[in-house]
Every structure is written in structure tokens, then in C-alpha cells.
């Protein structure tokens, strides 16, 4: 959901690393909004019920809160979802669409299409991708074993869906990180570029594709000029994307 909202020109979405800090917090919505410097908060609880004899289910309760400074927080919308895991992408699109509607953000045709776009049709590939994303956040600058595990999970997702652009971008960033941290070989450098180029071929408008290309130029080629050019291209499509902006400031 964050990825869908972050790609919209009419919204500025706090970076994942900042908001994830509050995952298990006991702080109030007012405290969180003030610390992050945001007007709105999207909060949710998600439960995943596995099943051995039927489809796994997700149960989600989400709330959009207006935390305007100087006023008591107000709930703008509340949603409860009980769906099968196969419907996870429709659930994501539905939540993102309702947030956009509640905030009165005007969408162009491309934005409307991006809200309902599915990253992959293979749920197993998507689960592997999400595992890689979680470990990647925990392993920034981490060990060879954990960084290699991240790359392996992205590769497994790609093996299941070779057209999974986000997984190709993630794999490239993992390969670039491994190259930088552990003085990789030319073959590893080529692999990082090939993965980024494959992601670019599949979806040139995806912000993380440009981020992957930028990381390749920065971490493998040590070419800051080309790295910045990739970020500039990404920001033209997604001008408020927090990860691109943060990369631009490196």
C-alpha cells in the first residue's frame, strides 16, 4: 500500500524506515504525527490465518486519521477486510484508492492504473519477495550470510515469475550491496547491472527500478553522475517518492 501511495504525484509519503519504527509503539497518533511531521496517518492491524485444507485468509482493520496540528485527531475512514490470500492485491488497491479518495487527491489515468496494478500474479513469488524486503531492511550494511540470503530470496521469486519487475530491482540492489561490501568480482558487477536492466525493461516507471540503477552506478561503478541521472529520471515520474529523495541526498 505504501508503494502504491508513494508513487502518486499528489502525495508525500514518509519513508518506510521512519514509519516502521512505530510498528510496536505505545505512542498516540498525535505523538507519532508530530514526530514524523505529517498531517495524516494510515494505521492498520493485519492477521494472516494459514490453512492446511483451504485458502489462507487475511483479516485487516485499517483507519485513516487526520492529525492536523492543534486539533484532536479525527478518523476519516475505517475499513475491515476478511479475504483470502489470493485477494491480497485487490485489498491493497482498495485501501490505497479509499485513502486517495478521502484525501481528495486528483488522479490522472496513469495514476489510476498504478493503483490497481498487480506486481505479480504468483502469490508464492510475492511472499518470497516480501521476505526478502523484510530481511533487507534488517540487514542494511549487514553480514555476508544475510545479504546473500536476501539475494537468494529475490532470485527464487524471479524463478517463479521472470516478469516480476520489483523482484529484479530488489535483486540488483542486493547484488550491488554485496559487491560493495565484499569486493565482488566482475561477474557479480555484471549480474547487478543485468538485473537492473531487466527491471528497467519490464517497468521503466517503477521508482525502485531507477533506485536499483542508481545503486548500481554508485556502489559498483562509483559513477555518482550517472547515479544522480537515474534518480532525477525517477523523480520526474514520482516527485515525492521518499526513497528516491533520500537517495538524491546521499
Amino acid at each position: 500500500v505504501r508503494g502504491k501511495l508513494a508513487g502518486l504525484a499528489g502525495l508525500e509519503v514518509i519513508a518506510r524506515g521512519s514509519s516502521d519504527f512505530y510498528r510496536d509503539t505505545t505512542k498516540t497518533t498525535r505523538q507519532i504525527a508530530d514526530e514524523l511531521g505529517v498531517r495524516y496517518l494510515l494505521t492498520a492491524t493485519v492477521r494472516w490465518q494459514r490453512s492446511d485444507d483451504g485458502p489462507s485468509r487475511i483479516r485487516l482493520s485499517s483507519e485513516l486519521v487526520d492529525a492536523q496540528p492543534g486539533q484532536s485527531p479525527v478518523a476519516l475512514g475505517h475499513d475491515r477486510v476478511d479475504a483470502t490470500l489470493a485477494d491480497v492485491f485487490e485489498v491493497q488497491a482498495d485501501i490505497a484508492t479509499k485513502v486517495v479518495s478521502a484525501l481528495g487527491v486528483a488522479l490522472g489515468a496513469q495514476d489510476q492504473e498504478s493503483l490497481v496494478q498487480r506486481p505479480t500474479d504468483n502469490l508464492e513469488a510475492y511472499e518470497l519477495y516480501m521476505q526478502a524486503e523484510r530481511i533487507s531492511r534488517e540487514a542494511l550494511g549487514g553480514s555476508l550470510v544475510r545479504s546473500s540470503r536476501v539475494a537468494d530470496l529475490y532470485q527464487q521469486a524471479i524463478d517463479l515469475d521472470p516478469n516480476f519487475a520489483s523482484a529484479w530491482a530488489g535483486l540488483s540492489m542486493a547484488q550491488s550491496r554485496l559487491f560493495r561490501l565484499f569486493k565482488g568480482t566482475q561477474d557479480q558487477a555484471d549480474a547487478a547491472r543485468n538485473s537492473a536492466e531487466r527491471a528497467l525493461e519490464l517497468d521503466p516507471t517503477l521508482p525502485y527500478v531507477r533506485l536499483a540503477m542508481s545503486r548500481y552506478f554508485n556502489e559498483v561503478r562509483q559513477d555518482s553522475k550517472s547515479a544522480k541521472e537515474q534518480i532525477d529520471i525517477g523523480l520526474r515520474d514520482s516527485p515525492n517518492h521518499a526513497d528516491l529523495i533520500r537517495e538524491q541526498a546521499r
Side-chain angles (χ1 to χ4, degrees):
V1 174
R2 184 201 317 275
K4 288 181 179 297
L5 295 176
L8 302 178
L11 290 176
E12 294 181 15
V13 181
I14 288 295
R16 178 176 58 194
S18 298
S19 56
D20 279 357
F21 177 77
Y22 296 96
R23 183 182 300 275
D24 298 313
T25 188
T26 58
K27 293 183 177 182
T28 66
T29 53
R30 163 59 58 215
Q31 289 173 308
I32 297 171
D34 288 346
E35 290 178 7
L36 291 175
V38 297
R39 167 81 183 266
Y40 303 98
L41 293 173
L42 177 63
T43 66
T45 58
V46 183
R47 292 178 176 83
W48 182 0
Q49 182 179 7
R50 294 180 180 272
S51 175
D52 295 329
D53 56 358
S56 297
R57 304 193 69 81
I58 51 174
R59 290 182 170 83
L60 181 146
S61 177
S62 66
E63 185 175 54
L64 179 65
V65 178
D66 183 348
Q68 184 174 357
Q71 299 184 17
S72 298
V74 177
L76 297 181
H78 189 275
D79 200 14
R80 293 184 182 275
V81 176
D82 185 345
T84 66
L85 189 59
D87 297 326
V88 63
F89 302 122
E90 285 76 9
V91 171
Q92 291 174 352
D94 183 59
I95 293 173
T97 300
K98 288 178 178 177
V99 168
V100 168
S101 176
L103 298 182
V105 177
L107 299 180
Q110 182 176 333
D111 288 336
Q112 292 175 6
E113 182 179 344
S114 70
L115 284 182
V116 299
Q117 187 176 21
R118 299 167 67 100
T120 176
D121 289 323
N122 190 308
L123 288 175
E124 187 178 352
Y126 187 67
E127 183 177 352
L128 289 164
Y129 170 79
M130 294 303 293
Q131 289 180 37
E133 290 283 287
R134 175 179 58 80
I135 298 173
S136 179
R137 293 198 299 271
E138 299 169 353
L140 288 176
S143 70
L144 174 61
V145 173
R146 296 185 74 179
S147 298
S148 297
R149 174 61 175 157
V150 168
D152 182 59
L153 286 167
Y154 285 128
Q155 184 62 63
Q156 289 182 54
I158 290 166
D159 290 342
L160 292 171
D161 181 1
N163 296 320
F164 194 170
S166 295
W168 279 108
L171 176 61
S172 176
M173 285 188 276
Q175 291 167 329
S176 293
R177 184 186 308 129
L178 283 167
F179 181 91
R180 176 177 61 83
L181 292 175
F182 308 106
K183 298 179 181 179
T185 65
Q186 184 59 47
D187 285 346
Q188 290 171 320
D190 292 342
R193 177 168 192 134
N194 291 338
S195 296
E197 289 179 343
R198 177 58 175 154
L200 185 64
E201 177 185 348
L202 289 167
D203 190 350
T205 66
L206 191 68
Y208 288 112
V209 170
R210 295 299 175 180
L211 188 60
M213 290 296 295
S214 178
R215 292 275 176 86
Y216 165 76
F217 283 116
N218 251 335
E219 300 183 347
V220 177
R221 295 280 298 277
Q222 297 184 337
D223 181 352
S224 59
K225 180 181 178 181
S226 295
K228 182 181 182 303
E229 288 173 353
Q230 291 296 319
I231 294 300
D232 289 343
I233 295 172
L235 287 172
R236 284 203 292 270
D237 290 328
S238 304
N240 298 319
H241 198 280
D243 290 327
L244 291 175
I245 294 171
R246 182 173 56 191
E247 193 75 10
Q248 186 185 50
R250 289 180 63 180

